[in-house]
Amino acid sequence: MRKSNPTPLPNLWIFCMEWSLTHFWLILALVLCLAELTSGVLLLLALGIAAALTALLAFLDVPFEWQLAGMGIFSGILVPVAIRWIRPRFSPKGVAYGTTGTGVEQGRRYQTLKRDFDGATGIKVNGDFYRLRVTDTGETDLPEGTDVIFKQFDGTTAVVETITHKEQ
Protein backbone atom coordinates (compact mmCIF):
# COMPACT_ATOMS: atom_id res chain seq x y z
CA MET A 1 0.00 0.00 0.00
CA ARG A 2 1.27 3.34 -1.03
CA LYS A 3 1.35 6.17 1.43
CA SER A 4 -0.18 9.31 -0.06
CA ASN A 5 1.17 12.75 0.62
CA PRO A 6 -1.31 15.16 2.18
CA THR A 7 -2.40 17.93 -0.10
CA PRO A 8 -0.65 21.18 0.74
CA LEU A 9 -2.69 24.07 2.09
CA PRO A 10 -3.28 26.80 -0.46
CA ASN A 11 -1.22 29.93 -0.12
CA LEU A 12 -3.56 32.56 1.27
CA TRP A 13 -1.55 35.34 -0.33
CA ILE A 14 -2.69 34.06 -3.72
CA PHE A 15 -6.29 34.71 -2.76
CA CYS A 16 -5.67 37.98 -0.96
CA MET A 17 -4.35 41.20 -2.31
CA GLU A 18 -0.78 41.95 -1.38
CA TRP A 19 -0.67 45.04 0.80
CA SER A 20 1.99 47.64 0.32
CA LEU A 21 2.96 50.84 2.09
CA THR A 22 0.91 52.76 -0.45
CA HIS A 23 -2.18 50.95 0.77
CA PHE A 24 -1.24 51.65 4.38
CA TRP A 25 -0.91 55.41 3.75
CA LEU A 26 -4.16 55.51 1.77
CA ILE A 27 -6.06 53.66 4.51
CA LEU A 28 -4.58 56.00 7.12
CA ALA A 29 -5.64 58.99 4.99
CA LEU A 30 -9.18 57.63 4.71
CA VAL A 31 -9.47 56.96 8.44
CA LEU A 32 -8.17 60.44 9.31
CA CYS A 33 -10.51 62.14 6.85
CA LEU A 34 -13.49 60.17 8.19
CA ALA A 35 -12.50 61.01 11.77
CA GLU A 36 -12.55 64.68 10.77
CA LEU A 37 -16.31 64.40 10.42
CA THR A 38 -16.55 64.03 14.20
CA SER A 39 -14.26 66.92 15.14
CA GLY A 40 -14.69 69.74 12.65
CA VAL A 41 -11.37 71.38 13.51
CA LEU A 42 -9.73 70.59 10.14
CA LEU A 43 -6.67 69.17 11.92
CA LEU A 44 -7.48 65.56 11.05
CA LEU A 45 -8.35 66.56 7.48
CA ALA A 46 -4.93 68.20 7.09
CA LEU A 47 -3.25 65.06 8.46
CA GLY A 48 -5.36 62.91 6.12
CA ILE A 49 -4.24 64.96 3.11
CA ALA A 50 -0.64 64.66 4.31
CA ALA A 51 -1.04 60.87 4.52
CA ALA A 52 -2.49 60.80 0.99
CA LEU A 53 0.51 62.77 -0.29
CA THR A 54 2.78 60.34 1.54
CA ALA A 55 0.99 57.50 -0.28
CA LEU A 56 2.14 59.16 -3.48
CA LEU A 57 5.72 58.97 -2.20
CA ALA A 58 5.23 55.28 -1.39
CA PHE A 59 3.83 54.69 -4.87
CA LEU A 60 7.02 56.22 -6.30
CA ASP A 61 9.07 53.66 -4.27
CA VAL A 62 10.66 56.23 -1.97
CA PRO A 63 12.30 54.50 1.06
CA PHE A 64 10.20 54.25 4.21
CA GLU A 65 12.43 56.65 6.17
CA TRP A 66 11.83 59.33 3.53
CA GLN A 67 8.12 58.57 3.58
CA LEU A 68 8.09 59.31 7.30
CA ALA A 69 10.05 62.50 6.72
CA GLY A 70 7.62 63.42 3.94
CA MET A 71 4.66 62.85 6.27
CA GLY A 72 6.29 65.16 8.80
CA ILE A 73 6.98 67.86 6.22
CA PHE A 74 3.50 67.63 4.67
CA SER A 75 1.92 67.76 8.14
CA GLY A 76 4.11 70.68 9.16
CA ILE A 77 2.91 72.65 6.15
CA LEU A 78 -0.75 71.59 5.95
CA VAL A 79 -1.75 71.76 9.64
CA PRO A 80 -0.92 75.47 10.11
CA VAL A 81 -2.47 76.29 6.72
CA ALA A 82 -5.69 74.50 7.66
CA ILE A 83 -5.95 76.02 11.13
CA ARG A 84 -4.84 79.59 10.46
CA TRP A 85 -6.18 80.27 6.99
CA ILE A 86 -8.83 77.74 6.01
CA ARG A 87 -10.74 77.20 9.29
CA PRO A 88 -11.57 80.91 9.83
CA ARG A 89 -13.22 80.99 6.39
CA PHE A 90 -15.77 78.40 7.59
CA SER A 91 -16.71 80.28 10.80
CA PRO A 92 -19.24 83.11 10.87
CA LYS A 93 -17.86 86.55 11.72
CA GLY A 94 -17.96 87.52 15.38
CA VAL A 95 -18.53 84.03 16.76
CA ALA A 96 -15.82 82.80 19.09
CA TYR A 97 -16.35 79.05 19.08
CA GLY A 98 -15.07 77.18 22.09
CA THR A 99 -15.70 80.07 24.50
CA THR A 100 -19.26 79.20 25.54
CA GLY A 101 -19.35 78.50 29.25
CA THR A 102 -16.00 80.15 30.02
CA GLY A 103 -17.66 83.28 31.37
CA VAL A 104 -17.22 85.60 28.38
CA GLU A 105 -21.02 85.86 28.01
CA GLN A 106 -21.54 86.87 31.63
CA GLY A 107 -23.38 90.17 31.96
CA ARG A 108 -24.55 90.30 28.32
CA ARG A 109 -28.15 91.10 27.43
CA TYR A 110 -30.26 88.58 25.57
CA GLN A 111 -33.89 88.32 24.51
CA THR A 112 -35.85 85.21 25.33
CA LEU A 113 -37.08 82.90 22.58
CA LYS A 114 -39.70 80.15 22.44
CA ARG A 115 -38.63 76.89 20.84
CA ASP A 116 -41.08 75.70 18.18
CA PHE A 117 -41.42 72.00 18.90
CA ASP A 118 -41.87 72.10 22.68
CA GLY A 119 -42.49 75.75 23.58
CA ALA A 120 -39.48 75.89 25.93
CA THR A 121 -38.18 79.33 26.83
CA GLY A 122 -34.49 80.02 26.38
CA ILE A 123 -31.80 82.20 24.91
CA LYS A 124 -29.37 81.71 22.05
CA VAL A 125 -25.69 81.93 22.97
CA ASN A 126 -23.25 81.68 20.03
CA GLY A 127 -26.05 80.22 17.91
CA ASP A 128 -27.01 77.47 20.38
CA PHE A 129 -30.34 77.41 22.23
CA TYR A 130 -30.17 77.07 26.03
CA ARG A 131 -33.17 76.69 28.30
CA LEU A 132 -33.23 79.31 31.01
CA ARG A 133 -33.96 79.72 34.70
CA VAL A 134 -34.42 83.07 36.47
CA THR A 135 -32.08 83.49 39.47
CA ASP A 136 -34.55 85.16 41.84
CA THR A 137 -37.71 83.16 41.26
CA GLY A 138 -36.48 79.93 39.64
CA GLU A 139 -39.01 80.57 36.88
CA THR A 140 -38.38 78.78 33.58
CA ASP A 141 -41.20 80.20 31.44
CA LEU A 142 -40.95 83.84 30.36
CA PRO A 143 -42.77 85.64 27.54
CA GLU A 144 -40.93 85.71 24.23
CA GLY A 145 -38.85 88.87 23.76
CA THR A 146 -38.21 89.46 27.48
CA ASP A 147 -34.87 91.18 28.07
CA VAL A 148 -32.60 89.21 30.39
CA ILE A 149 -28.99 89.40 31.57
CA PHE A 150 -26.97 86.20 31.43
CA LYS A 151 -25.34 85.24 34.74
CA GLN A 152 -23.91 81.71 34.37
CA PHE A 153 -24.52 78.18 33.19
CA ASP A 154 -25.86 75.50 35.49
CA GLY A 155 -25.18 72.40 33.42
CA THR A 156 -26.94 73.13 30.14
CA THR A 157 -29.36 75.64 31.67
CA ALA A 158 -28.66 79.36 31.32
CA VAL A 159 -29.19 81.15 34.62
CA VAL A 160 -30.45 84.68 33.88
CA GLU A 161 -31.75 87.76 35.64
CA THR A 162 -34.72 89.66 34.26
CA ILE A 163 -34.20 93.32 33.48
CA THR A 164 -37.83 94.40 33.81
CA HIS A 165 -39.36 92.89 36.96
CA LYS A 166 -43.03 91.90 36.96
CA GLU A 167 -43.66 93.70 40.29
CA GLN A 168 -43.47 97.12 38.60
Side-chain angles (χ1 to χ4, degrees):
M1 183 163 187
R2 233 174 80 181
K3 190 173 186 184
S4 65
N5 291 337
T7 57
L9 293 173
N11 188 354
L12 293 178
W13 287 108
I14 295 172
F15 299 112
C16 297
M17 183 172 145
E18 287 199 33
W19 295 96
S20 66
L21 282 174
T22 305
H23 294 108
F24 166 75
W25 290 113
L26 286 174
I27 291 169
L28 180 64
L30 179 66
V31 168
L32 287 168
C33 290
L34 287 174
E36 174 61 35
L37 295 173
T38 63
S39 73
V41 193
L42 293 182
L43 172 72
L44 295 175
L45 183 64
L47 292 174
I49 293 170
L53 291 172
T54 306
L56 181 65
L57 293 177
F59 180 73
L60 297 173
D61 288 330
V62 174
F64 183 67
E65 294 81 16
W66 287 103
Q67 291 175 31
L68 291 176
M71 178 69 179
I73 291 169
F74 294 141
S75 299
I77 293 170
L78 292 173
V79 167
V81 166
I83 291 177
R84 290 189 185 160
W85 290 291
I86 297 174
R87 186 175 67 179
R89 307 236 188 288
F90 288 104
S91 300
K93 297 284 185 224
V95 176
Y97 287 109
T99 62
T100 304
T102 60
V104 296
E105 309 87 5
Q106 196 168 13
R108 288 193 185 165
R109 292 179 89 158
Y110 293 94
Q111 283 196 338
T112 59
L113 303 165
K114 291 275 190 183
R115 203 162 43 185
D116 291 336
F117 66 90
D118 65 351
T121 305
I123 58 174
K124 275 201 172 190
V125 179
N126 287 340
D128 294 325
F129 182 87
Y130 294 94
R131 294 182 78 138
L132 62 81
R133 184 179 71 238
V134 180
T135 55
D136 302 335
T137 62
E139 197 176 353
T140 59
D141 190 24
L142 295 175
E144 188 169 356
T146 304
D147 289 326
V148 294
I149 297 176
F150 176 80
K151 292 296 181 187
Q152 67 185 18
F153 280 110
D154 181 20
T156 59
T157 303
V159 179
V160 298
E161 182 178 278
T162 57
I163 294 174
T164 55
H165 297 289
K166 293 191 176 194
E167 294 90 31
Q168 298 174 351

